[in-house]
Amino acid sequence: MNTFLKTFFACLILTFGFLAYKFFSVYSYSDDLVVSKNNPVFGTHHNLPEAPSVEKPATKPVEPQKQNPDDTKQKNEISKYSHKCYFYSHNGELILAERKLSMKPSLESALNVLLKGPLITETKKGIYSEIPANVDLISVTRIENDIIVDLTSNFGNGGGSKSITNRVKQLSKTVKLYEPNKKVYLYINGKEVEYLGGDGVYIKQPLD
């Protein structure tokens, strides 16, 4: 009898234990459970498939565009403009001189080129200017058909009557390159010139 009861209670305990295991194992499962090879609930599983790896396409480094030297040279040439004025050659004749500058040509820029005088390379060829050094352009005034060029007083310094006549002619010819149909008047320090230089050379206005 005791043996039967012991066996019965043992079977009963095992039955309740099995039912309790099934109950708790089912209701403790969560849909949010993450299954991995090293999941502590399921242990280590070596047969679970690896997630497929997506290879990123290799990006080709962008190389900086090389600038064509010919394009740069052409661009620089396009941005240069011709500025012209008159100087004298070794034989005393007026000749046309040219400068390449980045600014667009105008009478004002041409007069500034004229007042700066010839380049060293030009003077070696006998080219010269009758206009003294350090003469500054004060203003260029346009009044209907007239052009008034106002210069500083040292325009009349030095040289004899021939030099004075030649520098006025040099100035007039340069102005007429840009304003061929207008009359040119010479002013010194804001006043119209009648006589110029130490010899008192008469200046006919408008200039020839």
Side-chain angles (χ1 to χ4, degrees):
M1 183 67 179
N2 289 336
T3 303
F4 174 77
L5 290 174
K6 289 179 180 179
T7 303
F8 175 76
F9 282 115
C11 291
L12 188 63
I13 291 170
L14 290 173
T15 301
F16 278 112
F18 177 77
L19 292 175
Y21 168 77
K22 295 294 288 182
F23 176 83
F24 287 112
S25 64
V26 171
Y27 288 97
S28 63
Y29 177 78
S30 172
D31 292 335
D32 298 329
L33 187 64
V34 178
V35 179
S36 67
K37 282 187 175 182
N38 298 319
N39 193 300
V41 176
F42 295 95
T44 303
H45 298 272
H46 297 284
N47 296 326
L48 288 176
E50 291 280 357
S53 60
V54 180
E55 294 185 1
K56 295 182 179 180
T59 56
K60 188 177 180 180
V62 180
E63 296 182 359
Q65 293 183 350
K66 295 181 179 179
Q67 194 170 11
N68 192 336
D70 294 334
D71 293 341
T72 304
K73 183 179 179 181
Q74 185 177 8
K75 184 178 179 182
N76 290 336
E77 289 178 353
I78 292 174
S79 63
K80 298 290 185 181
Y81 300 93
S82 176
H83 299 250
K84 299 176 181 180
C85 68
Y86 278 100
F87 294 127
Y88 284 95
S89 66
H90 66 281
N91 57 8
E93 294 181 356
L94 279 172
I95 59 172
L96 198 61
E98 185 179 13
R99 301 285 185 270
K100 293 288 186 178
L101 303 174
S102 58
M103 67 183 72
K104 290 187 177 181
S106 66
L107 174 56
E108 287 82 354
S109 62
L111 289 174
N112 281 316
V113 170
L114 172 68
L115 297 177
K116 285 181 180 179
L119 302 174
I120 295 176
T121 54
E122 292 172 333
T123 57
K124 289 181 179 179
K125 297 177 182 179
I127 297 172
Y128 66 96
S129 176
E130 289 286 6
I131 299 173
N134 302 321
V135 177
D136 293 324
L137 175 65
I138 297 175
S139 65
V140 174
T141 306
R142 295 166 175 83
I143 303 174
E144 296 181 354
N145 294 324
D146 298 339
I147 294 286
I148 298 173
V149 178
D150 193 4
L151 303 176
T152 52
S153 59
N154 45 347
F155 180 78
N157 292 348
S161 59
K162 185 178 179 179
S163 176
I164 294 293
T165 302
N166 285 344
R167 73 186 64 171
V168 172
K169 187 177 180 180
Q170 192 179 346
L171 173 69
S172 176
K173 291 278 286 184
T174 298
V175 174
K176 288 183 181 294
L177 278 173
Y178 295 86
E179 300 287 354
N181 299 320
K182 293 188 178 182
K183 297 176 182 179
V184 183
Y185 292 84
L186 173 61
Y187 279 49
I188 297 295
N189 290 336
K191 295 181 180 181
E192 185 175 345
V193 174
E194 187 174 2
Y195 295 95
L196 191 63
D199 294 339
V201 178
Y202 173 73
I203 304 300
K204 181 183 176 182
Q205 303 270 20
L207 307 180
D208 294 332

